Each structure stands twice: as C-alpha cells, then as structure tokens.
Amino acid sequence: MKTFFQLREQINEEHSKTNKASMTIKHGYDEGDGPDNKKFAKYINKNTGATVKHHKDGSTMSFHGSDHQIHKALQHHHSDDKKGLGDLNYHKKGKTHSDDHVDGQHTYKTEGTTFREKLMSIFENDKASHYKSATKPETMDDQLKGAGAKQMKADLTGGDTKAADMEKQSHADAAKAGRAGPGTKARTNDNKKGDKKAMTSATPVNDPTAKIVKTESYGISGNKISSGLLDAIAMVEDMNKVHTVDIDHMTGTAGSHEKKHGITLKKGKNYGKGPGSNMATDATGTKANLQKYLKKHYDGEHKEMHPEIYK
C-alpha cells in the first residue's frame, strides 16, 4: 500500500499534467513577445504545449494549458530567472519579494478537475487495473447444470431471461383459482371489508443497510467507495492545505533550510522595530511541509508553539 507522501506525489504529478489552468501576466510583454510577433506564440505552443493569448489592453498576456505546460512557458518567458519568476510554484506560493513581481502582476487560475476528483479517478483506475485479469464472476445461470434444470427455469420464467416476479405471480394464480372454483356465500355476521387495522410488530426490526449507507459514498464512475478511503482522501487534502504561521526568524528571508522544506518567509510589519529587534516572520507552506519544518525550527517544542498544524 502506498504511503501518504507517495500518494500525494502521484496525485500532484498526474494533476499537473492533466489539469486546466491559466497564468495572466499584467504588463507582461514588449515588442519582442507582443501580438505583432506571431512567431513567439507559435514557438511557445510548439515547445511547451501552452497557448498564448494577448489581451486588448496592449500589455497583458496569458498562458493557458496544464500546470506542466504553463511552467515550461514561464521558463521560456523568464529565461533569466528560472528559479523565481520562471517557476510556477513560485507564483502559486504567493511570493512577492521580487522587484518584478508586484501584487496582481502574475495571476494564476485553475479550473476543471479538482484535487479530490483526481484522487478518486486515480483510485478507481488502479482498482480497475488490479481486477483486469480476474476471473469473471459466476452468474446464477452458470450454476444451472443439465437440460432439466434449465428447462425448469424456463417454465418458471415463461422463457423470459429475467427472473419471474413470484409475488406478483402468486396473486395472479390466486385470482385465477378463485374464478375457476365455486364461491362461498358470506354469512350475515361476516366482515366483508376485512380487518384493516395494522398490527404492531412485537420485535423492532433494524435495517441492516443503515450503517452501510452512512459509511459509503460514490466515486466518479458510480462505484461505492468505503469510508476508510474517504478518510484517506480527507487526510491527503488536509495535509495539502496551505497555512501561514508566525515565527521568530533572524533574517526573515528564506534560506536553504526553508527551501528544503518548501517553506516561504515574509517579514512581519514590525520586523526589526522596537526593543530586541522584533523578528516576527510569517512562514507559509502546506500542512505536511510545515510539520517537518517547525519540528526542526523549534527543536522539539513545535507542537506546543503551533498545535493547529498538528491536529
């Protein structure tokens, strides 16, 4: 069985190649890559798969495609800054400390398949491939051996391939028998309408499917999904959520330790002000990455400092 991190990595990789998204860059082009240069759009599409759109304001352009394609397009567009402006994750994490990256200049938007739908799709595809070579389930007809047994079924169903409705047939047979035989006259004290009062059951009946309904849901293809899998999906989604926590940091700038754990830093409003040179810094990252980073950053006091990240 795959671990959480292996499952998350597979999902992220699959999603980045098949999702639909766009990256809009305000004031993003000049004469070299503007609408007058038809070769630029063709070059980007041929080498990255992304589509280039030039907006009517005369300076805004956008890339359209999967995350994988948009990342490659940014690598070409910002070839001199591939680890910053040329990195899609740079923009998705909300970094703004670059002089060229002002608020609103780069706008990322995703659409189409959600993270949860992609996870369900991967699970169902894996399940289908797992049972691909399995023996076909035996049907009720397969259990009928010999001509006599098959003839008996044909007699019961009237030659219909569907099973006979025995309850409906019993009522029809009873009505037919009543018409065929002599009827008995009712006595003067007989209740011709019958007793219509419902009898209360002595023993309460529990619905055996009640718990199943509560613990099952349906995937994209309509297959039932167990509550255990739904819990796993919820855990993956929760660990991928982005959080921001307040920490003390000597420089307020991400170093090798932060980059190793996928964490970005931003100095607080009062950083460097007041007695003791305030070191308030915002650390941003996914819940999974923050758990690993804070454990090292606080050297054992991580859960006490930020219990919300470890729920």
Side-chain angles (χ1 to χ4, degrees):
M1 183 177 179
K2 294 180 180 179
T3 65
F4 160 74
F5 293 103
Q6 289 173 330
L7 184 60
R8 185 182 67 170
E9 187 65 26
Q10 180 186 356
I11 296 166
N12 287 337
E13 184 176 351
E14 290 286 339
H15 190 261
S16 69
K17 293 180 179 179
T18 59
N19 74 316
K20 293 181 180 180
S22 64
M23 171 64 73
T24 301
I25 309 175
K26 189 176 182 181
H27 309 304
Y29 67 81
D30 51 29
E31 294 180 0
D33 49 20
D36 294 333
N37 188 352
K38 305 296 183 181
K39 293 182 179 180
F40 172 74
K42 291 181 179 179
Y43 174 83
I44 291 294
N45 185 254
K46 180 180 179 180
N47 289 275
T48 71
T51 301
V52 179
K53 180 180 178 181
H54 293 92
H55 296 237
K56 294 181 180 180
D57 64 0
S59 64
T60 300
M61 67 183 300
S62 56
F63 298 123
H64 301 261
S66 67
D67 279 7
H68 183 71
Q69 293 169 332
I70 292 174
H71 173 75
K72 291 174 68 176
L74 287 171
Q75 293 275 294
H76 285 283
H77 185 62
H78 296 294
S79 58
D80 57 341
D81 188 15
K82 290 188 175 183
K83 292 184 179 180
L85 297 176
D87 183 2
L88 178 60
N89 288 327
Y90 174 94
H91 302 288
K92 291 175 73 172
K93 290 179 180 178
K95 291 187 175 182
T96 58
H97 65 261
S98 171
D99 294 336
D100 293 327
H101 186 183
V102 296
D103 290 337
Q105 184 170 354
H106 288 73
T107 305
Y108 171 81
K109 183 180 180 181
T110 184
E111 57 188 43
T113 306
T114 64
F115 181 87
R116 181 184 179 86
E117 290 172 340
K118 176 56 65 177
L119 179 57
M120 297 296 287
S121 175
I122 291 174
F123 165 76
E124 291 177 358
N125 289 337
D126 286 348
K127 184 178 180 181
S129 62
H130 179 73
Y131 289 105
K132 185 177 182 180
S133 59
T135 304
K136 185 179 179 181
E138 189 178 50
T139 65
M140 292 298 292
D141 286 345
D142 294 331
Q143 299 179 25
L144 296 176
K145 307 298 182 182
K150 294 179 180 180
Q151 183 59 47
M152 184 180 294
K153 179 183 178 182
D155 293 340
L156 289 171
T157 62
D160 194 349
T161 55
K162 296 182 180 179
D165 187 339
M166 300 308 292
E167 181 181 359
K168 182 178 180 181
Q169 187 63 40
S170 66
H171 292 303
D173 291 344
K176 183 178 180 181
R179 290 193 298 270
T184 303
K185 292 184 178 180
R187 294 171 296 186
T188 56
N189 62 342
D190 282 345
N191 184 353
K192 297 180 182 180
K193 294 183 178 179
D195 188 0
K196 297 183 179 180
K197 184 178 180 181
M199 297 295 291
T200 305
S201 174
T203 305
V205 179
N206 294 324
D207 182 1
T209 65
K211 292 184 178 179
I212 297 177
V213 174
K214 292 181 180 179
T215 58
E216 291 184 336
S217 184
Y218 291 85
I220 297 173
S221 63
N223 297 327
K224 282 190 176 181
I225 306 299
S226 68
S227 60
L229 176 65
L230 293 176
D231 290 341
I233 293 173
M235 181 185 71
V236 172
E237 291 178 327
D238 182 55
M239 294 296 278
N240 268 322
K241 288 181 180 178
V242 176
H243 295 263
T244 298
V245 296
D246 179 44
I247 64 172
D248 285 339
H249 196 274
M250 293 294 292
T251 65
T253 304
S256 59
H257 182 58
E258 285 74 26
K259 292 179 180 179
K260 176 182 177 182
H261 292 90
I263 302 299
T264 61
L265 298 182
K266 183 178 181 181
K267 294 179 181 179
K269 294 181 179 179
N270 296 319
Y271 188 90
K273 300 177 182 179
S277 295
N278 191 305
M279 296 182 292
T281 304
D282 291 331
T284 301
T286 64
K287 189 173 184 179
N289 287 340
L290 279 172
Q291 285 184 359
K292 294 184 292 184
Y293 171 72
L294 294 176
K295 184 176 181 180
K296 295 288 185 180
H297 182 74
Y298 286 111
D299 194 23
E301 298 180 355
H302 47 289
K303 292 185 179 180
E304 290 79 8
M305 298 299 294
H306 294 286
E308 73 277 10
I309 301 300
Y310 297 88
K311 289 181 180 179

mmCIF file with all atom_site columns, all heavy atoms in Angstrom, residues 180-202:
data_model
loop_
_atom_site.group_PDB
_atom_site.id
_atom_site.type_symbol
_atom_site.label_atom_id
_atom_site.label_alt_id
_atom_site.label_comp_id
_atom_site.label_asym_id
_atom_site.label_entity_id
_atom_site.label_seq_id
_atom_site.pdbx_PDB_ins_code
_atom_site.Cartn_x
_atom_site.Cartn_y
_atom_site.Cartn_z
_atom_site.occupancy
_atom_site.B_iso_or_equiv
_atom_site.pdbx_formal_charge
_atom_site.auth_seq_id
_atom_site.auth_comp_id
_atom_site.auth_asym_id
_atom_site.auth_atom_id
_atom_site.pdbx_PDB_model_num
ATOM 1   N N   . ALA A 1 180 ? -62.101 -19.853 -11.080 1.00 0.00 ? 180 ALA A N   1
ATOM 2   C CA  . ALA A 1 180 ? -62.371 -21.206 -11.584 1.00 0.00 ? 180 ALA A CA  1
ATOM 3   C C   . ALA A 1 180 ? -63.279 -21.999 -10.657 1.00 0.00 ? 180 ALA A C   1
ATOM 4   O O   . ALA A 1 180 ? -64.091 -22.811 -11.096 1.00 0.00 ? 180 ALA A O   1
ATOM 5   C CB  . ALA A 1 180 ? -61.057 -21.955 -11.781 1.00 0.00 ? 180 ALA A CB  1
ATOM 6   N N   . GLY A 1 181 ? -63.189 -21.819 -9.313  1.00 0.00 ? 181 GLY A N   1
ATOM 7   C CA  . GLY A 1 181 ? -63.955 -22.625 -8.352  1.00 0.00 ? 181 GLY A CA  1
ATOM 8   C C   . GLY A 1 181 ? -65.204 -21.925 -7.890  1.00 0.00 ? 181 GLY A C   1
ATOM 9   O O   . GLY A 1 181 ? -65.362 -20.719 -8.061  1.00 0.00 ? 181 GLY A O   1
ATOM 10  N N   . PRO A 1 182 ? -66.131 -22.681 -7.264  1.00 0.00 ? 182 PRO A N   1
ATOM 11  C CA  . PRO A 1 182 ? -67.370 -22.085 -6.730  1.00 0.00 ? 182 PRO A CA  1
ATOM 12  C C   . PRO A 1 182 ? -67.076 -21.218 -5.517  1.00 0.00 ? 182 PRO A C   1
ATOM 13  O O   . PRO A 1 182 ? -66.232 -21.550 -4.695  1.00 0.00 ? 182 PRO A O   1
ATOM 14  C CB  . PRO A 1 182 ? -68.218 -23.296 -6.366  1.00 0.00 ? 182 PRO A CB  1
ATOM 15  C CG  . PRO A 1 182 ? -67.228 -24.367 -6.083  1.00 0.00 ? 182 PRO A CG  1
ATOM 16  C CD  . PRO A 1 182 ? -66.082 -24.136 -7.033  1.00 0.00 ? 182 PRO A CD  1
ATOM 17  N N   . GLY A 1 183 ? -67.761 -20.105 -5.376  1.00 0.00 ? 183 GLY A N   1
ATOM 18  C CA  . GLY A 1 183 ? -67.560 -19.226 -4.243  1.00 0.00 ? 183 GLY A CA  1
ATOM 19  C C   . GLY A 1 183 ? -68.514 -19.553 -3.108  1.00 0.00 ? 183 GLY A C   1
ATOM 20  O O   . GLY A 1 183 ? -69.593 -20.103 -3.318  1.00 0.00 ? 183 GLY A O   1
ATOM 21  N N   . THR A 1 184 ? -68.124 -19.237 -1.873  1.00 0.00 ? 184 THR A N   1
ATOM 22  C CA  . THR A 1 184 ? -68.961 -19.472 -0.695  1.00 0.00 ? 184 THR A CA  1
ATOM 23  C C   . THR A 1 184 ? -69.632 -18.178 -0.302  1.00 0.00 ? 184 THR A C   1
ATOM 24  O O   . THR A 1 184 ? -68.974 -17.140 -0.202  1.00 0.00 ? 184 THR A O   1
ATOM 25  C CB  . THR A 1 184 ? -68.099 -19.978 0.484   1.00 0.00 ? 184 THR A CB  1
ATOM 26  O OG1 . THR A 1 184 ? -67.424 -21.160 0.064   1.00 0.00 ? 184 THR A OG1 1
ATOM 27  C CG2 . THR A 1 184 ? -68.970 -20.272 1.690   1.00 0.00 ? 184 THR A CG2 1
ATOM 28  N N   . LYS A 1 185 ? -70.930 -18.214 -0.089  1.00 0.00 ? 185 LYS A N   1
ATOM 29  C CA  . LYS A 1 185 ? -71.664 -17.019 0.289   1.00 0.00 ? 185 LYS A CA  1
ATOM 30  C C   . LYS A 1 185 ? -71.274 -16.555 1.688   1.00 0.00 ? 185 LYS A C   1
ATOM 31  O O   . LYS A 1 185 ? -71.034 -17.369 2.573   1.00 0.00 ? 185 LYS A O   1
ATOM 32  C CB  . LYS A 1 185 ? -73.162 -17.295 0.263   1.00 0.00 ? 185 LYS A CB  1
ATOM 33  C CG  . LYS A 1 185 ? -73.707 -17.529 -1.142  1.00 0.00 ? 185 LYS A CG  1
ATOM 34  C CD  . LYS A 1 185 ? -75.210 -17.707 -1.104  1.00 0.00 ? 185 LYS A CD  1
ATOM 35  C CE  . LYS A 1 185 ? -75.759 -17.904 -2.521  1.00 0.00 ? 185 LYS A CE  1
ATOM 36  N NZ  . LYS A 1 185 ? -77.250 -18.074 -2.495  1.00 0.00 ? 185 LYS A NZ  1
ATOM 37  N N   . ALA A 1 186 ? -71.194 -15.247 1.889   1.00 0.00 ? 186 ALA A N   1
ATOM 38  C CA  . ALA A 1 186 ? -70.851 -14.691 3.192   1.00 0.00 ? 186 ALA A CA  1
ATOM 39  C C   . ALA A 1 186 ? -71.997 -14.838 4.161   1.00 0.00 ? 186 ALA A C   1
ATOM 40  O O   . ALA A 1 186 ? -73.169 -14.718 3.784   1.00 0.00 ? 186 ALA A O   1
ATOM 41  C CB  . ALA A 1 186 ? -70.489 -13.209 3.034   1.00 0.00 ? 186 ALA A CB  1
ATOM 42  N N   . ARG A 1 187 ? -71.642 -15.060 5.438   1.00 0.00 ? 187 ARG A N   1
ATOM 43  C CA  . ARG A 1 187 ? -72.667 -15.147 6.471   1.00 0.00 ? 187 ARG A CA  1
ATOM 44  C C   . ARG A 1 187 ? -73.071 -13.745 6.899   1.00 0.00 ? 187 ARG A C   1
ATOM 45  O O   . ARG A 1 187 ? -72.373 -12.771 6.632   1.00 0.00 ? 187 ARG A O   1
ATOM 46  C CB  . ARG A 1 187 ? -72.115 -15.939 7.672   1.00 0.00 ? 187 ARG A CB  1
ATOM 47  C CG  . ARG A 1 187 ? -71.847 -17.424 7.325   1.00 0.00 ? 187 ARG A CG  1
ATOM 48  C CD  . ARG A 1 187 ? -71.115 -18.115 8.453   1.00 0.00 ? 187 ARG A CD  1
ATOM 49  N NE  . ARG A 1 187 ? -69.792 -17.525 8.640   1.00 0.00 ? 187 ARG A NE  1
ATOM 50  C CZ  . ARG A 1 187 ? -68.880 -18.021 9.498   1.00 0.00 ? 187 ARG A CZ  1
ATOM 51  N NH1 . ARG A 1 187 ? -69.182 -19.076 10.245  1.00 0.00 ? 187 ARG A NH1 1
ATOM 52  N NH2 . ARG A 1 187 ? -67.714 -17.458 9.613   1.00 0.00 ? 187 ARG A NH2 1
ATOM 53  N N   . THR A 1 188 ? -74.198 -13.646 7.618   1.00 0.00 ? 188 THR A N   1
ATOM 54  C CA  . THR A 1 188 ? -74.729 -12.328 7.992   1.00 0.00 ? 188 THR A CA  1
ATOM 55  C C   . THR A 1 188 ? -73.802 -11.562 8.914   1.00 0.00 ? 188 THR A C   1
ATOM 56  O O   . THR A 1 188 ? -73.787 -10.343 8.921   1.00 0.00 ? 188 THR A O   1
ATOM 57  C CB  . THR A 1 188 ? -76.107 -12.481 8.674   1.00 0.00 ? 188 THR A CB  1
ATOM 58  O OG1 . THR A 1 188 ? -75.959 -13.368 9.800   1.00 0.00 ? 188 THR A OG1 1
ATOM 59  C CG2 . THR A 1 188 ? -77.126 -13.066 7.706   1.00 0.00 ? 188 THR A CG2 1
ATOM 60  N N   . ASN A 1 189 ? -73.032 -12.283 9.749   1.00 0.00 ? 189 ASN A N   1
ATOM 61  C CA  . ASN A 1 189 ? -72.144 -11.599 10.697  1.00 0.00 ? 189 ASN A CA  1
ATOM 62  C C   . ASN A 1 189 ? -70.704 -11.502 10.206  1.00 0.00 ? 189 ASN A C   1
ATOM 63  O O   . ASN A 1 189 ? -69.821 -11.126 10.955  1.00 0.00 ? 189 ASN A O   1
ATOM 64  C CB  . ASN A 1 189 ? -72.176 -12.306 12.057  1.00 0.00 ? 189 ASN A CB  1
ATOM 65  C CG  . ASN A 1 189 ? -71.679 -13.751 11.947  1.00 0.00 ? 189 ASN A CG  1
ATOM 66  O OD1 . ASN A 1 189 ? -71.641 -14.306 10.856  1.00 0.00 ? 189 ASN A OD1 1
ATOM 67  N ND2 . ASN A 1 189 ? -71.322 -14.343 13.085  1.00 0.00 ? 189 ASN A ND2 1
ATOM 68  N N   . ASP A 1 190 ? -70.404 -11.859 8.941   1.00 0.00 ? 190 ASP A N   1
ATOM 69  C CA  . ASP A 1 190 ? -69.046 -11.749 8.397   1.00 0.00 ? 190 ASP A CA  1
ATOM 70  C C   . ASP A 1 190 ? -68.698 -10.292 8.077   1.00 0.00 ? 190 ASP A C   1
ATOM 71  O O   . ASP A 1 190 ? -69.550 -9.527  7.629   1.00 0.00 ? 190 ASP A O   1
ATOM 72  C CB  . ASP A 1 190 ? -68.908 -12.566 7.114   1.00 0.00 ? 190 ASP A CB  1
ATOM 73  C CG  . ASP A 1 190 ? -68.762 -14.058 7.393   1.00 0.00 ? 190 ASP A CG  1
ATOM 74  O OD1 . ASP A 1 190 ? -68.484 -14.388 8.559   1.00 0.00 ? 190 ASP A OD1 1
ATOM 75  O OD2 . ASP A 1 190 ? -68.930 -14.861 6.464   1.00 0.00 ? 190 ASP A OD2 1
ATOM 76  N N   . ASN A 1 191 ? -67.437 -9.915  8.344   1.00 0.00 ? 191 ASN A N   1
ATOM 77  C CA  . ASN A 1 191 ? -66.947 -8.576  7.989   1.00 0.00 ? 191 ASN A CA  1
ATOM 78  C C   . ASN A 1 191 ? -66.442 -8.624  6.554   1.00 0.00 ? 191 ASN A C   1
ATOM 79  O O   . ASN A 1 191 ? -65.354 -9.125  6.269   1.00 0.00 ? 191 ASN A O   1
ATOM 80  C CB  . ASN A 1 191 ? -65.810 -8.155  8.935   1.00 0.00 ? 191 ASN A CB  1
ATOM 81  C CG  . ASN A 1 191 ? -65.350 -6.727  8.666   1.00 0.00 ? 191 ASN A CG  1
ATOM 82  O OD1 . ASN A 1 191 ? -65.772 -6.098  7.706   1.00 0.00 ? 191 ASN A OD1 1
ATOM 83  N ND2 . ASN A 1 191 ? -64.484 -6.225  9.535   1.00 0.00 ? 191 ASN A ND2 1
ATOM 84  N N   . LYS A 1 192 ? -67.242 -8.093  5.629   1.00 0.00 ? 192 LYS A N   1
ATOM 85  C CA  . LYS A 1 192 ? -66.898 -8.184  4.214   1.00 0.00 ? 192 LYS A CA  1
ATOM 86  C C   . LYS A 1 192 ? -65.707 -7.303  3.830   1.00 0.00 ? 192 LYS A C   1
ATOM 87  O O   . LYS A 1 192 ? -65.031 -7.544  2.836   1.00 0.00 ? 192 LYS A O   1
ATOM 88  C CB  . LYS A 1 192 ? -68.115 -7.791  3.369   1.00 0.00 ? 192 LYS A CB  1
ATOM 89  C CG  . LYS A 1 192 ? -69.297 -8.734  3.555   1.00 0.00 ? 192 LYS A CG  1
ATOM 90  C CD  . LYS A 1 192 ? -70.474 -8.304  2.714   1.00 0.00 ? 192 LYS A CD  1
ATOM 91  C CE  . LYS A 1 192 ? -71.674 -9.237  2.940   1.00 0.00 ? 192 LYS A CE  1
ATOM 92  N NZ  . LYS A 1 192 ? -72.846 -8.836  2.124   1.00 0.00 ? 192 LYS A NZ  1
ATOM 93  N N   . LYS A 1 193 ? -65.471 -6.255  4.627   1.00 0.00 ? 193 LYS A N   1
ATOM 94  C CA  . LYS A 1 193 ? -64.360 -5.337  4.312   1.00 0.00 ? 193 LYS A CA  1
ATOM 95  C C   . LYS A 1 193 ? -63.019 -5.865  4.821   1.00 0.00 ? 193 LYS A C   1
ATOM 96  O O   . LYS A 1 193 ? -61.966 -5.425  4.400   1.00 0.00 ? 193 LYS A O   1
ATOM 97  C CB  . LYS A 1 193 ? -64.626 -3.962  4.917   1.00 0.00 ? 193 LYS A CB  1
ATOM 98  C CG  . LYS A 1 193 ? -65.815 -3.249  4.288   1.00 0.00 ? 193 LYS A CG  1
ATOM 99  C CD  . LYS A 1 193 ? -65.970 -1.858  4.879   1.00 0.00 ? 193 LYS A CD  1
ATOM 100 C CE  . LYS A 1 193 ? -67.122 -1.120  4.224   1.00 0.00 ? 193 LYS A CE  1
ATOM 101 N NZ  . LYS A 1 193 ? -67.305 0.240   4.794   1.00 0.00 ? 193 LYS A NZ  1
ATOM 102 N N   . GLY A 1 194 ? -63.037 -6.766  5.767   1.00 0.00 ? 194 GLY A N   1
ATOM 103 C CA  . GLY A 1 194 ? -61.786 -7.274  6.328   1.00 0.00 ? 194 GLY A CA  1
ATOM 104 C C   . GLY A 1 194 ? -61.252 -6.382  7.420   1.00 0.00 ? 194 GLY A C   1
ATOM 105 O O   . GLY A 1 194 ? -61.726 -5.262  7.621   1.00 0.00 ? 194 GLY A O   1
ATOM 106 N N   . ASP A 1 195 ? -60.266 -6.901  8.158   1.00 0.00 ? 195 ASP A N   1
ATOM 107 C CA  . ASP A 1 195 ? -59.658 -6.133  9.249   1.00 0.00 ? 195 ASP A CA  1
ATOM 108 C C   . ASP A 1 195 ? -58.499 -5.322  8.693   1.00 0.00 ? 195 ASP A C   1
ATOM 109 O O   . ASP A 1 195 ? -57.476 -5.875  8.286   1.00 0.00 ? 195 ASP A O   1
ATOM 110 C CB  . ASP A 1 195 ? -59.169 -7.099  10.341  1.00 0.00 ? 195 ASP A CB  1
ATOM 111 C CG  . ASP A 1 195 ? -58.702 -6.357  11.583  1.00 0.00 ? 195 ASP A CG  1
ATOM 112 O OD1 . ASP A 1 195 ? -58.773 -5.119  11.571  1.00 0.00 ? 195 ASP A OD1 1
ATOM 113 O OD2 . ASP A 1 195 ? -58.262 -7.024  12.536  1.00 0.00 ? 195 ASP A OD2 1
ATOM 114 N N   . LYS A 1 196 ? -58.674 -4.009  8.670   1.00 0.00 ? 196 LYS A N   1
ATOM 115 C CA  . LYS A 1 196 ? -57.648 -3.125  8.095   1.00 0.00 ? 196 LYS A CA  1
ATOM 116 C C   . LYS A 1 196 ? -56.716 -2.530  9.144   1.00 0.00 ? 196 LYS A C   1
ATOM 117 O O   . LYS A 1 196 ? -55.848 -1.731  8.825   1.00 0.00 ? 196 LYS A O   1
ATOM 118 C CB  . LYS A 1 196 ? -58.312 -1.993  7.317   1.00 0.00 ? 196 LYS A CB  1
ATOM 119 C CG  . LYS A 1 196 ? -59.110 -2.493  6.120   1.00 0.00 ? 196 LYS A CG  1
ATOM 120 C CD  . LYS A 1 196 ? -59.681 -1.337  5.333   1.00 0.00 ? 196 LYS A CD  1
ATOM 121 C CE  . LYS A 1 196 ? -60.452 -1.845  4.125   1.00 0.00 ? 196 LYS A CE  1
ATOM 122 N NZ  . LYS A 1 196 ? -61.019 -0.728  3.330   1.00 0.00 ? 196 LYS A NZ  1
ATOM 123 N N   . LYS A 1 197 ? -56.886 -2.898  10.413  1.00 0.00 ? 197 LYS A N   1
ATOM 124 C CA  . LYS A 1 197 ? -56.045 -2.357  11.476  1.00 0.00 ? 197 LYS A CA  1
ATOM 125 C C   . LYS A 1 197 ? -54.666 -3.003  11.418  1.00 0.00 ? 197 LYS A C   1
ATOM 126 O O   . LYS A 1 197 ? -54.520 -4.216  11.440  1.00 0.00 ? 197 LYS A O   1
ATOM 127 C CB  . LYS A 1 197 ? -56.686 -2.620  12.839  1.00 0.00 ? 197 LYS A CB  1
ATOM 128 C CG  . LYS A 1 197 ? -55.910 -2.002  13.991  1.00 0.00 ? 197 LYS A CG  1
ATOM 129 C CD  . LYS A 1 197 ? -56.619 -2.262  15.316  1.00 0.00 ? 197 LYS A CD  1
ATOM 130 C CE  . LYS A 1 197 ? -55.842 -1.640  16.472  1.00 0.00 ? 197 LYS A CE  1
ATOM 131 N NZ  . LYS A 1 197 ? -56.511 -1.897  17.771  1.00 0.00 ? 197 LYS A NZ  1
ATOM 132 N N   . ALA A 1 198 ? -53.626 -2.148  11.341  1.00 0.00 ? 198 ALA A N   1
ATOM 133 C CA  . ALA A 1 198 ? -52.266 -2.678  11.249  1.00 0.00 ? 198 ALA A CA  1
ATOM 134 C C   . ALA A 1 198 ? -51.816 -3.207  12.594  1.00 0.00 ? 198 ALA A C   1
ATOM 135 O O   . ALA A 1 198 ? -52.063 -2.609  13.636  1.00 0.00 ? 198 ALA A O   1
ATOM 136 C CB  . ALA A 1 198 ? -51.317 -1.582  10.768  1.00 0.00 ? 198 ALA A CB  1
ATOM 137 N N   . MET A 1 199 ? -51.138 -4.356  12.555  1.00 0.00 ? 199 MET A N   1
ATOM 138 C CA  . MET A 1 199 ? -50.617 -4.975  13.773  1.00 0.00 ? 199 MET A CA  1
ATOM 139 C C   . MET A 1 199 ? -49.214 -4.447  14.045  1.00 0.00 ? 199 MET A C   1
ATOM 140 O O   . MET A 1 199 ? -48.374 -4.384  13.148  1.00 0.00 ? 199 MET A O   1
ATOM 141 C CB  . MET A 1 199 ? -50.572 -6.493  13.612  1.00 0.00 ? 199 MET A CB  1
ATOM 142 C CG  . MET A 1 199 ? -51.946 -7.126  13.413  1.00 0.00 ? 199 MET A CG  1
ATOM 143 S SD  . MET A 1 199 ? -52.990 -6.930  14.862  1.00 0.00 ? 199 MET A SD  1
ATOM 144 C CE  . MET A 1 199 ? -52.134 -7.996  16.013  1.00 0.00 ? 199 MET A CE  1
ATOM 145 N N   . THR A 1 200 ? -48.954 -4.039  15.296  1.00 0.00 ? 200 THR A N   1
ATOM 146 C CA  . THR A 1 200 ? -47.637 -3.556  15.686  1.00 0.00 ? 200 THR A CA  1
ATOM 147 C C   . THR A 1 200 ? -46.700 -4.730  15.888  1.00 0.00 ? 200 THR A C   1
ATOM 148 O O   . THR A 1 200 ? -47.040 -5.705  16.568  1.00 0.00 ? 200 THR A O   1
ATOM 149 C CB  . THR A 1 200 ? -47.708 -2.740  16.985  1.00 0.00 ? 200 THR A CB  1
ATOM 150 O OG1 . THR A 1 200 ? -48.659 -1.693  16.805  1.00 0.00 ? 200 THR A OG1 1
ATOM 151 C CG2 . THR A 1 200 ? -46.353 -2.173  17.347  1.00 0.00 ? 200 THR A CG2 1
ATOM 152 N N   . SER A 1 201 ? -45.516 -4.651  15.315  1.00 0.00 ? 201 SER A N   1
ATOM 153 C CA  . SER A 1 201 ? -44.555 -5.739  15.452  1.00 0.00 ? 201 SER A CA  1
ATOM 154 C C   . SER A 1 201 ? -44.077 -5.835  16.893  1.00 0.00 ? 201 SER A C   1
ATOM 155 O O   . SER A 1 201 ? -43.794 -4.836  17.550  1.00 0.00 ? 201 SER A O   1
ATOM 156 C CB  . SER A 1 201 ? -43.367 -5.492  14.521  1.00 0.00 ? 201 SER A CB  1
ATOM 157 O OG  . SER A 1 201 ? -42.375 -6.446  14.738  1.00 0.00 ? 201 SER A OG  1
ATOM 158 N N   . ALA A 1 202 ? -43.996 -7.051  17.391  1.00 0.00 ? 202 ALA A N   1
ATOM 159 C CA  . ALA A 1 202 ? -43.548 -7.256  18.771  1.00 0.00 ? 202 ALA A CA  1
ATOM 160 C C   . ALA A 1 202 ? -42.066 -6.976  18.921  1.00 0.00 ? 202 ALA A C   1
ATOM 161 O O   . ALA A 1 202 ? -41.601 -6.519  19.956  1.00 0.00 ? 202 ALA A O   1
ATOM 162 C CB  . ALA A 1 202 ? -43.865 -8.688  19.201  1.00 0.00 ? 202 ALA A CB  1
#
